[in-house]
């Protein structure tokens, strides 16, 4: 079997195991680049081949980690067929992640005001993205039928890792979802927002500039902000479910514990 045929079978395996198309493309890129740079078929690669290749990469940045992630995925598929795994002992220690950035509420209000001033659909879209913590890719894939206004639930059909989950709609998110559903049906749109991710980024950038906010604001920052506020008011498992995460590995990034909260918590411990 030729190398490209194996890459094709590996790609089919990734699709079957719910890898996102973007992840599949990135993983294939790293395996093809490795083969092109080293003239070594990934199927025949040894641990020394992989170590030598990673050693040639910059020590800073994410290249080593990205390559190893792709290679480990390849060998998770290939190992049962070959009886070996040259990635088994390879690990890259990552620096501890810093606290996730978030948008101060007063800045977010200014941005929303300018978005609504430009067009209601812009304002409701940005508000829904914040008030549900939805990723931008998930947001633009929502269909009107994914919104259950009666039970105040939003179904996320496309998410990281291929997971689907429900988000309860509260006052702000329910108002945003209701307006967008009505607008989508009135204009015969198949999708709730009706534009792609790049257009939503442009809406957010234009609102930020109109509000006179000098710092860059990007869509995922709205998710960070929602996650940070949510971590302040609920327990870790509820937070995980609401954010659509597979585990709690990222939870600590969103817990901004201050001295006053620590004092309050300690004061509630009774003998």
């Amino acid at each position: 079997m030729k190398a490209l045929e194996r890459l094709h079978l590996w790609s089919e395996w990734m699709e079957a195991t719910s890898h996102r198309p973007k992840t599949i493309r990135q993983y294939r890129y790293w395996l093809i680049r490795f083969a092109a740079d080293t003239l070594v078929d990934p199927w025949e690669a040894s641990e020394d081949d992989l170590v030598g290749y990673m050693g040639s990469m910059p020590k800073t940045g994410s290249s080593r980690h990205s390559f190893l992630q792709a290679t480990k995925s390849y060998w998770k598929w290939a190992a049962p067929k070959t009886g070996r795994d040259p990635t088994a002992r390879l690990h890259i220690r990552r620096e501890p992640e810093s606290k996730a950035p978030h948008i101060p509420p007063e800045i977010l209000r200014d941005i929303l005001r300018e978005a609504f001033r430009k067009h209601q659909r812009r304002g409701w879209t940005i508000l829904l993205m914040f008030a549900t913590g939805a990723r931008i890719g998930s947001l633009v894939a929502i269909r009107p039928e994914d919104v259950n206004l009666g039970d105040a639930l939003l179904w996320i059909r496309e998410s990281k890792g291929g997971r689907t989950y429900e988000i309860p709609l509260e006052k702000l998110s329910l108002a945003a979802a209701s307006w967008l559903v009505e607008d989508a049906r009135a204009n015969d749109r198949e999708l709730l927002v009706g534009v792609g991710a790049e257009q939503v980024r442009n809406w957010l950038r234009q609102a930020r500039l109109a509000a006179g906010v000098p710092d860059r604001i990007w869509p995922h920052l709205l998710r960070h902000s929602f996650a940070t506020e949510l971590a302040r008011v609920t327990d870790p498992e509820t937070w995980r479910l609401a954010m659509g995460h597979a585990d709690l590995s990222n939870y600590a990034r969103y817990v901004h514990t201050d001295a006053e909260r620590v004092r309050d918590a300690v004061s509630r411990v009774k003998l």
Side-chain angles (χ1 to χ4, degrees):
M1 187 182 296
K2 295 181 180 179
L4 288 179
E5 292 176 352
R6 284 191 286 266
L7 286 174
H8 178 71
L9 291 174
W10 171 48
S11 297
E12 290 183 337
W13 173 82
M14 287 192 286
E15 289 177 3
T17 52
S18 300
H19 285 65
R20 290 189 304 165
K22 180 179 178 181
T23 301
I24 294 173
R25 289 194 300 272
Q26 290 173 337
Y27 282 7
R28 275 201 307 250
Y29 162 80
W30 281 110
L31 268 293
I32 292 170
R33 178 172 169 178
F34 167 79
D37 289 345
T38 64
L39 301 181
V40 175
D41 184 340
W43 185 266
E44 305 293 339
S46 67
E47 181 182 286
D48 288 342
D49 291 327
L50 301 178
V51 169
Y53 187 64
M54 287 192 293
S56 69
M57 293 177 170
K59 293 182 179 179
T60 58
S62 61
S63 295
R64 290 183 179 183
H65 185 265
S66 298
F67 169 71
L68 186 56
Q69 275 189 316
T71 309
K72 280 186 173 290
S73 171
Y74 181 82
W75 280 100
K76 188 175 181 180
W77 165 78
K81 301 171 178 57
T82 64
R84 71 188 189 93
D85 181 359
T87 71
R89 300 193 303 166
L90 301 182
H91 305 279
I92 294 177
R93 186 172 64 183
R94 304 187 74 178
E95 294 297 321
E97 292 187 288
S98 60
K99 295 296 183 184
H102 63 284
I103 308 172
E106 63 274 13
I107 298 296
L108 181 57
R109 285 193 292 268
D110 289 345
I111 290 172
L112 282 168
R113 183 172 57 251
E114 293 303 327
F116 274 108
R117 185 172 294 170
K118 189 71 175 179
H119 195 283
Q120 284 200 74
R121 180 154 60 123
R122 297 189 182 198
W124 288 121
T125 297
I126 294 171
L127 179 57
L128 185 64
M129 188 159 44
F130 164 74
T132 60
R135 296 178 176 88
I136 188 170
S138 301
L139 180 82
V140 299
I142 295 171
R143 299 176 179 273
E145 57 266 31
D146 296 333
V147 183
N148 184 336
L149 295 175
D151 293 333
L153 290 172
L154 174 63
W155 178 253
I156 299 295
R157 65 170 63 230
E158 291 189 18
S159 185
K160 190 174 182 180
R163 290 181 294 277
T164 59
Y165 63 100
E166 285 183 336
I167 300 176
L169 298 172
E170 47 71 53
K171 185 176 180 180
L172 287 177
S173 54
L174 184 60
S178 298
W179 190 95
L180 288 166
V181 166
E182 184 178 346
D183 187 62
R185 289 172 177 166
N187 291 282
D188 199 27
R189 291 198 306 266
E190 291 186 6
L191 297 175
L192 186 70
V193 175
V195 297
E198 191 58 37
Q199 186 61 61
V200 175
R201 291 189 184 94
N202 287 336
W203 287 355
L204 185 58
R205 180 181 60 84
Q206 291 167 9
R208 188 262 298 177
L209 292 173
V213 178
D215 297 327
R216 177 173 167 259
I217 303 291
W218 60 99
H220 207 70
L221 197 55
L222 295 172
R223 178 173 168 83
H224 285 321
S225 302
F226 174 78
T228 298
E229 295 302 318
L230 190 63
R232 288 181 175 140
V233 298
T234 192
D235 61 273
E237 181 59 17
T238 302
W239 179 91
R240 181 189 73 79
L241 292 171
M243 296 305 299
H245 281 298
D247 54 48
L248 287 167
S249 58
N250 287 320
Y251 178 69
R253 297 191 67 209
Y254 298 95
V255 181
H256 298 264
T257 305
D258 54 37
E260 194 59 37
R261 291 182 68 195
V262 172
R263 180 180 295 277
D264 179 63
V266 170
S267 71
R268 284 183 277 146
V269 176
K270 305 295 183 182
L271 290 177

